[in-house]
Amino acid sequence: AARARNAGLQSLLQLHSDLQYVFFVDGDCEVAHGWIGEAVRFLESHPDVAVVCGRRRERHPEKSIYNLLCDIEWDGAPAGETGACGGDAVMRVTAFRQVAGFRPDLICGEEPELCARLRQAGWRIWRLAADMTTHDAAIYHFTQWWQRTVRVGYGYAMFMRLDSVRHDKQWIGRYRRSRVWSLGVPALIVAASPFFGWSALWLLALYPLQVARLALRGRRGARANWSRAAALVLGHFAEMHGQLKYQLQRYRGTRSGLIEYK
């Protein structure tokens, strides 16, 4: 996607060399009416902003718990200045070209990595409360959700090798949380078992306690809050799968193809 977006913009600039703004949008999204005009007006009135994004909504959150999880994810980011955008965003062409666009060697996470370089160059990233796109995740099976989350973990491990994002507290925190919950707690149980025997298994209660803590902090209904909480905790194991996949490929000197879930 990173390489394709660079090529797409280059082709567009050959047709319109004076282009000021470009809207990158994922192929499984539909653009909300009035969004582009609102985004352009915001960029024109804020010359220090390089990227503006809005509210992405899920098309069919009622059809599967996994689609609902995506909708909750899209709804979780507050409006205002932010550190990164997702796949849908309107960008200032001069800023995009200043930092040489997307890194073409990334198989995921190309948007936050680009935003990191833009912020380092003095630009700002902004999220508006306005509707931007409707996304169709079409995730109806556990294996799809797992694969999507594996890709997230792969991105975390990859980010820890990139100078542009490796010192960002947000990504460091996510990277470490995956390791604590998927490796740290099981390792603690194993280490405690010689001293406490089967009683060490009580440490497994940390998982349902974490689910409960996250669910009680939710802002939606009970079903959505508990589903999101369970997915966040279970997702750490999928993220660790992705991290290990990246480390193994790096050790072997190989590169992954796209990690697709649909």
Side-chain angles (χ1 to χ4, degrees):
R3 194 170 67 226
R5 289 181 174 209
N6 286 341
L9 179 57
Q10 187 59 39
S11 296
L12 187 59
L13 289 173
Q14 291 175 3
L15 299 174
H16 304 281
S17 59
D18 59 344
L19 194 70
Q20 292 182 276
Y21 311 110
V22 58
F23 182 27
F24 291 105
V25 57
D26 285 349
D28 53 3
C29 291
E30 179 181 343
V31 182
H33 178 72
W35 159 252
I36 296 178
E38 184 163 355
V40 169
R41 286 191 294 272
F42 184 87
L43 288 171
E44 289 180 341
S45 61
H46 296 78
D48 60 339
V49 174
V51 180
V52 62
C53 55
R55 170 70 160 91
R56 175 190 266 194
R57 297 187 182 277
E58 192 56 43
R59 180 172 298 281
H60 297 298
E62 77 287 352
K63 287 192 174 181
S64 79
I65 192 63
Y66 310 110
N67 289 347
L68 176 61
L69 292 173
C70 287
D71 194 59
I72 296 172
E73 179 183 336
W74 311 144
D75 194 33
E81 187 168 5
T82 185
C85 67
D88 307 335
V90 179
M91 301 189 183
R92 196 180 299 273
V93 172
T94 53
F96 184 88
R97 300 180 78 175
Q98 178 185 341
V99 298
F102 294 107
R103 279 190 59 142
D105 58 330
L106 300 185
I107 68 164
C108 60
E110 62 273 9
E111 299 93 358
E113 194 280 331
L114 170 65
C115 288
R117 286 185 284 117
L118 285 167
R119 288 188 288 108
Q120 290 164 10
W123 294 97
R124 302 167 75 189
I125 317 298
W126 211 272
R127 178 174 285 106
L128 303 180
D131 284 354
M132 175 180 60
T133 52
T134 300
H135 177 260
D136 189 9
I139 303 178
Y140 299 106
H141 304 286
F142 176 81
T143 52
Q144 291 178 280
W145 171 82
W146 182 271
Q147 187 74 343
R148 181 177 183 268
T149 313
V150 166
R151 184 173 66 182
V152 171
Y154 189 98
Y156 292 166
M158 180 181 64
F159 277 9
M160 293 301 102
R161 306 295 303 179
L162 301 178
D163 289 337
S164 55
V165 289
R166 63 185 302 179
H167 301 297
D168 191 313
K169 292 182 180 179
Q170 172 189 190
W171 305 112
I172 293 173
R174 296 183 183 186
Y175 174 80
R176 289 176 176 172
R177 278 195 296 273
S178 297
R179 290 178 166 246
V180 167
W181 287 102
S182 63
L183 295 180
V185 174
L188 182 61
I189 293 173
V190 172
S193 60
F195 304 97
F196 300 100
W198 290 104
S199 297
L201 292 177
W202 280 104
L203 290 170
L204 289 172
L206 290 171
Y207 292 107
L209 287 173
Q210 176 69 348
V211 170
R213 186 181 75 87
L214 294 172
L216 294 174
R217 293 171 56 188
R219 298 182 290 109
R220 295 200 177 195
R223 175 174 178 267
N225 290 340
W226 283 94
S227 297
R228 171 183 173 273
L232 286 173
V233 173
L234 180 60
H236 289 310
F237 293 90
E239 291 167 1
M240 195 66 241
H241 180 175
Q243 290 189 33
L244 293 175
K245 179 181 177 71
Y246 174 83
Q247 298 294 352
L248 180 60
Q249 290 176 345
R250 185 169 175 271
Y251 174 77
R252 291 176 173 175
T254 60
R255 293 181 59 187
S256 175
L258 295 179
I259 303 176
E260 296 290 353
Y261 64 90
K262 63 177 179 179

